[in-house]
Amino acid sequence: MPRKSTHLAPADHSSQCLQYLRRCGGRARLCSISFSLGVIQALVNRRLVKVSNNGAGFYVELEDAG
């Protein structure tokens, strides 16, 4: 039976991405952020952010909490 590791898993950068978006007023251009598409996809899957296209490019926006 495998033992549990005592080492922490590699850091998940989703919380840093959410913090970055909050500092940017809730939205940022997708091409201007340095987080991986995997982090963005994980946040979209958890319905914390959405990706929208306004005709001038793609934006990552925080989902409305209420």
Side-chain angles (χ1 to χ4, degrees):
M1 178 176 226
R3 296 176 59 193
K4 280 190 172 181
S5 174
T6 58
H7 301 287
L8 296 175
D12 179 19
H13 297 283
S14 59
S15 61
Q16 287 93 349
C17 184
L18 288 172
Q19 187 176 27
Y20 174 80
L21 288 172
R22 286 185 193 110
R23 284 195 318 256
C24 290
R27 77 187 278 196
R29 286 192 71 141
L30 184 60
C31 65
S32 69
I33 61 176
S34 62
F35 297 98
S36 71
L37 293 179
V39 170
I40 302 298
Q41 184 63 53
L43 292 171
V44 169
N45 290 346
R46 291 170 37 201
R47 296 186 178 155
L48 297 174
V49 300
K50 62 183 175 182
V51 177
S52 61
N53 183 1
N54 67 354
F58 287 92
Y59 284 85
V60 179
E61 303 175 7
L62 291 172
E63 281 284 348
D64 295 333

